[in-house]
Amino acid sequence: MEIERRKFTLWIGIFLFLVLWTSSIFSCRIDLTQKNAYTISKTTRTLLNQIDGNLLITYYVSHALFRTSAVPERIVEQLRAYTAASRGKVDLRIENLNQTGETDRLARAGLKTDPQGAYSGIILEYRDEQEVIPWISEPGFVEYLLTARASRLVWPEKRTIGILQGDTKTAHTYEPLFRVLEGGGFVLSFLNSKMDAVPLVSALFILNPEGLPDTLTEVLDQYLSQGGKLLICADGVQVDTGRNLEPTPRQKTGIFTALDSWGIQVPPALVLDEQCGNILIQSGTGAQADTFYLPYPPWPSLGGRGLNRNHSLTVGLTRLDLYWASPLSVQVPEGVRLTVLAETGSRSWVLEYPLVTSPLEARDSISYARDRQGNYAVAVLLEGPLGSYRTADSPPGSLIVVGDEDCAGELVEINQSFENYSFFLHAAEWVSDPEGPLLIRNRFIRDLHLTVDREENTSFVSVLQVIHLFILPFLPLAGLIHVFFFKKRGTKRTS
């Protein structure tokens, strides 16, 4: 009996040694996530197959981060998996930084540091060109960031976003957004509103349609009918920040007429939400002036269930802040698919008359609002044959409409709503390449957000709470009790 036990122990030891030895030589992982979040995607493999030569990836990380966090090691694991998938076309270098001269050079190259001065950035080099990932702290985004940057090196064709602006006086307020789009690898082409046809662009963005000529409606209609990709920000109420937030309904002309013909109505109304941003209030003047913040329902702040969790464009966003937005009403044309990208919360309401924008009165306007049903669509996507000139053979187009003209302007900077820029960057990436790297990023996010809707799954939540609070903590104790009595019973039988 003793000999058999020793043989069994010996074979177990040999087996473990072989497992450890082979794992040190061969790279093998099993991905059990629902969306294969840790499996190299088809998009990445297509890119890697088209690399002509060698792509050098260098991960620069401060030595202190390795000692204080497990994140760098997980990032290295993802980098090695990416390199292994390339079959020799990608070279990987890991540089531990501990010399001041080296960090100074990297700062000039564009790498960023955390508040403690630590680096965790990546530089990609290919054919005398390079792309920089200034900072990375999430291992799940490694593949997305690498593929997005490497695609610019391997496929140097520039993606162009056409920009149309109505009110040129406010054009400067969109400069931060333009910088974000250019940083995302897009070339911006500012178009003339009197053009006869839309030039060849990946997508067309209309951020402030007020003042665009009616003749442009025909041009945009033809563009959509030919499979164009169009994003429009349009609301039905103009709020004058220089005149005590005075609201004025917009005239139904130009772009608004075109939207009506495409099945999207933008009413002269405001949507207010209890889940909202804060507005700065000043009382008094001179030395007696006092400032404070008030919740401001005309500025809905959308997050969680308010953002579509199942679409690539919005699933990765945590928040979208709107400023004096209008609810959108959609009549879906035949053969067209509607997707609501963003909607207000259940405690939201609509005001048509009177239009209340005063910070001291807006919160109480819910008491006399006629429409208080909540969950109003404020950003929608139409896909399919669009436009008045569409035929059975027309290529599918895309139309994104956001019921707010201020969600990309100067209020974003004032209120630090920087996630709004991510929405427009995602929109540009999605319309230019729906099957591109954005799907990789969102695949990872979908698997990590294990959220449960408490309003719709209260019984399920209760079961989870019982399991986690009462059953799981006592399983080890139950195991110990079982082993104790099992041994005691075995001892009695032996005696």
Side-chain angles (χ1 to χ4, degrees):
M1 188 69 179
E2 184 67 24
I3 296 177
E4 293 295 330
R5 186 179 304 169
R6 289 182 178 180
K7 285 183 178 180
F8 178 76
T9 304
L10 178 62
W11 282 113
I12 289 293
I14 294 173
F15 174 76
L16 292 176
F17 171 78
L18 291 175
V19 169
L20 294 174
W21 179 68
T22 53
S23 64
S24 65
I25 299 177
F26 304 102
S27 176
C28 179
R29 301 189 305 172
I30 299 176
D31 189 352
L32 300 179
T33 58
Q34 182 181 4
K35 299 290 182 179
N36 296 325
Y38 295 97
T39 300
I40 299 300
S41 67
K42 182 179 178 181
T43 301
T44 297
R45 293 185 185 278
T46 301
L47 171 69
L48 294 175
N49 290 335
Q50 297 190 23
I51 292 178
D52 184 13
N54 280 82
L55 171 67
L56 175 61
I57 298 176
T58 307
Y59 177 40
Y60 295 95
V61 57
S62 296
H63 184 66
L65 283 181
F66 269 109
R67 293 183 300 172
T68 58
S69 173
V71 170
E73 191 62 41
R74 293 175 58 197
I75 291 176
V76 170
E77 290 177 3
Q78 293 295 95
L79 290 171
R80 287 174 177 163
Y82 197 93
T83 305
S86 72
R87 298 182 178 180
K89 292 186 177 182
V90 175
D91 295 328
L92 175 64
R93 283 195 330 200
I94 312 296
E95 296 288 344
N96 261 332
L97 300 181
N98 51 19
Q99 297 179 359
T100 306
E102 183 72 4
T103 57
D104 290 342
R105 181 182 67 83
L106 296 178
R108 292 192 297 270
L111 267 66
K112 306 296 183 184
T113 63
D114 66 0
Q116 285 72 41
Y119 280 91
S120 178
I122 297 174
I123 294 181
L124 297 85
E125 299 174 75
Y126 181 73
R127 288 185 174 179
D128 299 326
E129 299 289 338
Q130 75 174 26
E131 285 283 339
V132 178
I133 301 174
W135 173 266
I136 182 168
S137 59
E138 179 51 71
F141 291 162
V142 168
E143 184 189 353
Y144 161 69
L145 291 172
L146 289 179
T147 301
R149 298 299 196 280
S151 62
R152 302 180 198 172
L153 298 172
V154 179
W155 301 319
E157 298 86 2
K158 295 293 185 180
R159 299 170 295 176
T160 303
I161 300 294
I163 303 293
L164 264 178
Q165 296 174 298
D167 187 1
T168 56
K169 295 179 181 178
T170 60
H172 68 282
T173 64
Y174 298 99
E175 286 299 326
L177 171 62
F178 296 156
R179 289 195 295 269
V180 170
L181 292 175
E182 289 173 337
F186 292 93
V187 175
L188 303 186
S189 176
F190 296 89
L191 306 179
N192 191 332
S193 61
K194 297 180 181 179
M195 60 185 175
D196 297 327
V198 177
L200 184 61
V201 292
S202 301
L204 177 60
F205 282 17
I206 302 177
L207 302 176
N208 54 340
E210 185 78 12
L212 290 174
D214 294 346
T215 55
L216 188 63
T217 301
E218 184 77 9
V219 176
L220 297 177
D221 202 7
Q222 293 181 0
Y223 173 68
L224 270 184
S225 300
Q226 296 167 1
K229 318 293 184 182
L230 181 59
L231 182 146
I232 300 177
C233 294
D235 55 45
V237 179
Q238 181 179 11
V239 178
D240 192 341
T241 56
R243 299 183 59 183
N244 249 358
L245 305 181
E246 180 181 343
T248 305
R250 297 188 189 274
Q251 298 296 319
K252 285 288 185 179
T253 58
I255 295 299
F256 298 96
T257 304
L259 287 173
D260 285 341
S261 67
W262 299 330
I264 299 180
Q265 290 77 44
V266 185
L270 292 175
V271 58
L272 294 81
D273 197 334
E274 285 192 352
Q275 185 177 349
C276 58
N278 296 322
I279 191 171
L280 182 64
I281 303 297
Q282 178 176 326
S283 63
T285 58
Q288 303 298 323
D290 187 24
T291 58
F292 56 94
Y293 285 92
L294 273 182
Y296 189 50
W299 288 358
S301 183
L302 313 180
R305 294 177 59 199
L307 299 173
N308 193 320
R309 297 173 180 171
N310 298 311
H311 197 278
S312 302
L313 205 155
T314 50
V315 69
L317 299 178
T318 58
R319 198 179 79 184
L320 180 64
D321 294 333
L322 303 181
Y323 305 97
W324 303 296
S326 295
L328 303 176
S329 177
V330 184
Q331 298 293 327
V332 184
E334 184 178 356
V336 175
R337 180 173 61 184
L338 166 67
T339 303
V340 177
L341 298 174
E343 64 180 14
T344 58
S346 57
R347 292 283 294 174
S348 58
W349 63 100
V350 170
L351 294 178
E352 292 189 20
Y353 183 83
L355 292 168
V356 179
T357 56
S358 168
L360 301 178
E361 301 175 8
R363 196 172 185 84
D364 296 330
S365 63
I366 188 175
S367 60
Y368 54 81
R370 295 181 180 180
D371 189 350
R372 293 179 285 185
Q373 65 180 9
N375 302 115
Y376 302 97
V378 288
V380 298
L381 164 66
L382 295 182
E383 299 174 88
L386 299 168
S388 304
Y389 297 95
R390 66 183 183 274
T391 64
D393 300 326
S394 295
S398 300
L399 173 62
I400 300 173
V401 180
V402 182
D404 181 16
E405 295 185 19
D406 297 296
C407 64
E410 60 184 355
L411 288 174
V412 174
E413 294 288 318
I414 295 173
N415 294 285
Q416 297 185 343
S417 304
F418 302 127
E419 194 78 353
N420 287 22
Y421 296 146
S422 298
F423 172 84
F424 289 96
L425 180 59
H426 289 185
E429 291 184 353
W430 185 83
V431 296
S432 60
D433 188 5
E435 301 298 324
L438 191 63
L439 287 179
I440 304 172
R441 178 182 186 272
N442 297 334
R443 175 188 62 174
F444 175 79
I445 293 173
R446 280 197 191 99
D447 275 295
L448 288 190
H449 281 110
L450 303 178
T451 54
V452 177
D453 192 331
R454 293 180 176 269
E455 295 182 4
E456 300 178 3
N457 301 278
T458 53
S459 59
F460 180 61
V461 172
S462 300
V463 172
L464 287 180
Q465 289 176 339
V466 170
I467 292 175
H468 284 81
L469 294 177
F470 299 103
I471 297 179
L472 291 181
F474 287 100
L475 282 179
L477 179 61
L480 292 174
I481 294 174
H482 172 74
V483 170
F484 174 77
F485 282 105
F486 180 77
K487 284 187 175 181
K488 190 174 182 181
R489 188 182 304 172
T491 305
K492 289 182 177 180
R493 288 178 180 175
T494 303
S495 60

